[in-house]
């Protein structure tokens, strides 16, 4: 359910405070991987001369508000939890997804996930309170003359509201995907698909890494990352994975922060961090083993690298299903996979040319755009600023109640009409029949 909304990156809203001046942007971000996309857009807005103010909770993972070189103004919202708490909550959530969920019934899993969501919602509300209960900050922002609010609806904030209500207020939606990834379907004119906006041509690798990559010879390399959130795995899993990787003819670069597996092969190197986009854009790269986060998927599409997907949570299973349907990925189940499955999957996407062909086809579709995704994202934000909104793109459906939206009122009216007509017709018939009956009886008695 929630996963359906993960691809949504931003909704662009006009600020509720009126403004005279131009080019002032207020941002309500979401932490972690979503920030990577948003930061690109905000950087571009800065280059174009806009002022950017970011509202950020005092406990964040990726948003570095202390960085003196940052071009953004940060307004820090005091929250009663620390970065460590955020990390712990995330770790609990991940260990639920990775290790506990497969052993729970659907119902138990649902209850557990609901508990987790309650914790997330509470933290989200505390972040909001950091804003709402800070009159000084509100006054400051009110007089700030902002032209536009960019918010990431994964952590919508705001007063008690529904997702529908929040969505209804957005002038413009920027979606983190594009038609290379999506299946064709109708959509509203205030949706713009800007997936892959963070991708760039590969830059040279660090020297040591480049040497390792070059040492792979004709077999090339495999890039492996389960994303920025999964730092460590159980010994059993990491040994199983290391065993599988050691059987590949390629050299493997594995992003992993946990304990070094005992079965680590000589062809595999572990890195705390890898320049993923640059590696995927490297000529020697043959395959990408990924958890299926949107950012990684787009880097692979951009550079035309086939994938082995090991989805874990949120939108990842859905993302990998898309890539599988488009013939660019093989999917594995983290819980049931054996070392041999991983070896087979990598060999499949490397040696069966259809995967590479499809990857290149999607990559060509991705690159063949009239205007680049980042430029389109910036265009629409500036459009909303210039025209004080984009009301002409807004469907009237937002003003309807749910029964009006589904035409239930019309249906009820038609049903009533039909019932009344039927009732009158039946009554008339009965009346006529009775009349006829009486005449016949009268004749008979005569
Ligand atoms: C991962 O590391 C954290 C903190 O070091 C630890 O609490 C957790 O148990 C580890 N998880 C696994 C699966 O080893
Ligand atoms: C290559 O992959 C395609 C798509 O999965 C499959 O139909 C085909 O049989 C594979 N070819 C070989 C030789 O395995």
């Amino acid at each position: 359910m929630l996963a359906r909304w993960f691809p949504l990156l931003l909704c662009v809203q006009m600020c509720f405070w009126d403004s005279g001046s131009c080019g002032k942007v207020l941002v309500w971000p979401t932490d972690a991987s979503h920030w990577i996309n948003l930061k690109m857009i905000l950087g571009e807005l800065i280059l174009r001369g806009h002022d950017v103010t970011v509202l950020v909770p005092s406990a964040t993972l990726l948003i570095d508000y202390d960085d003196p070189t940052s071009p953004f103004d940060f307004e820090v919202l005091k929250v009663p939890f620390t970065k460590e708490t955020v990390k712990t909550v995330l770790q609990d959530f991940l260990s639920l997804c990775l290790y506990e969920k497969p052993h729970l019934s659907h119902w138990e899993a649902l209850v557990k996930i609901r508990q987790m969501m309650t914790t997330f919602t509470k933290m989200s509300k505390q972040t909001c309170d950091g804003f709402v209960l800070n009159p000084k900050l509100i006054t400051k922002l009110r007089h700030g003359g902002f032209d536009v609010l960019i918010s990431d609806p994964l952590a919508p904030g705001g007063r008690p509201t529904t997702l529908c209500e929040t969505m209804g207020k957005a002038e413009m939606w920027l979606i983190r995907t594009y038609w290379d990834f999506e299946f064709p379907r109708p959509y509203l004119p205030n949706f713009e698909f800007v997936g892959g906006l963070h991708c760039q041509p590969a830059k040279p690798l660090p020297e040591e890494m480049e040497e390792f990559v070059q040492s792979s010879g004709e077999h090339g390399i495999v890039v492996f990352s389960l994303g920025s959130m999964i730092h460590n795995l159980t010994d059993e899993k990491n040994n199983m994975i290391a065993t599988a990787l050691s059987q590949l003819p390629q050299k493997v670069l594995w992003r992993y922060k946990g304990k070094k597996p005992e079965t680590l092969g000589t062809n595999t190197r572990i890195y705390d961090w890898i320049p993923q986009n640059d590696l995927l854009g490297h000529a020697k790269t043959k395959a990408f083993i990924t958890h299926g986060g949107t950012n990684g998927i787009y880097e692979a599409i951009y550079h035309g690298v086939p994938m082995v997907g090991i989805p874990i949570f949120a939108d990842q299973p859905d993302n990998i299903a898309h890539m599988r349907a488009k013939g660019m990925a093989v999917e594995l189940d983290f819980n049931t996979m054996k070392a041999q499955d991983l070896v087979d999957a990598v060999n499949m996407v490397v040696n069966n040319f259809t995967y590479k062909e499809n990857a290149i086809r999607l990559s060509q579709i991705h690159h063949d755009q009239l205007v680049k995704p980042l430029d389109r994202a910036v265009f629409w934000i500036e459009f909303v600023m210039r025209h004080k909104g984009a009301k002409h793109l807004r469907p009237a459906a937002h003003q309807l109640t749910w029964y009006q939206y589904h035409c239930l009122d019309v249906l009820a009216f038609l049903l009533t009409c039909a019932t009344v007509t039927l009732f009158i017709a039946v009554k008339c018939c009965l009346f006529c029949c009775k009349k006829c009956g009486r005449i016949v009886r009268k004749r008979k008695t005569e």
Side-chain angles (χ1 to χ4, degrees), residues 233-340:
L233 301 167
T234 56
D235 287 349
E236 185 201 339
K237 283 282 176 200
N238 73 20
N239 279 318
M240 184 271 285
I241 289 173
T243 307
L245 298 178
S246 72
Q247 291 169 29
L248 297 174
Q250 289 84 19
K251 297 267 159 113
V252 184
L253 292 92
W254 182 6
R255 179 193 171 151
Y256 183 60
K257 276 190 183 164
K259 204 175 115 202
K260 187 175 158 187
E262 286 143 24
T263 55
L264 196 72
T266 48
N267 69 333
T268 310
R269 277 201 196 163
I270 290 181
Y271 295 88
D272 261 12
W273 176 85
I274 52 172
Q276 191 170 281
N277 182 65
D278 304 334
L279 275 171
L280 291 178
H282 199 286
K284 289 240 182 255
T285 304
K286 299 289 181 203
F288 180 34
I289 309 175
T290 172
H291 63 306
T294 322
N295 287 342
I297 285 207
Y298 261 98
E299 285 161 12
I301 292 179
Y302 185 95
H303 296 294
V305 180
M307 289 177 267
V308 172
I310 312 177
I312 316 266
F313 67 99
D315 57 341
Q316 296 159 10
D318 192 48
N319 292 347
I320 294 297
H322 278 238
M323 289 296 99
R324 216 182 46 193
K326 306 231 172 197
M328 188 178 156
V330 168
E331 180 172 353
L332 291 176
D333 183 336
F334 180 80
N335 298 296
T336 55
M337 74 177 188
K338 305 267 178 304
Q340 194 56 44

Side-chain angles (χ1 to χ4, degrees), residues 381-398:
I381 292 169
E382 289 185 336
F383 183 96
V384 169
M385 287 156 83
R386 275 196 300 273
H387 298 277
K388 311 227 168 293
K391 289 276 178 290
H392 65 298
L393 298 180
R394 202 180 128 91
H398 292 302

Side-chain angles (χ1 to χ4, degrees), residues 91 99 232-234:
Q91 278 305 323
Y99 304 111
N232 55 357
L233 301 167
T234 56

Side-chain angles (χ1 to χ4, degrees), residues 18 47 59 88 160 204 210 217 251 262 291-292 347 354 356 380 412:
D18 216 24
L47 284 182
T88 312
E210 178 67 31
K251 297 267 159 113
E262 286 143 24
H291 63 306
N347 284 336
T354 52
K356 182 67 181 174
W380 281 107

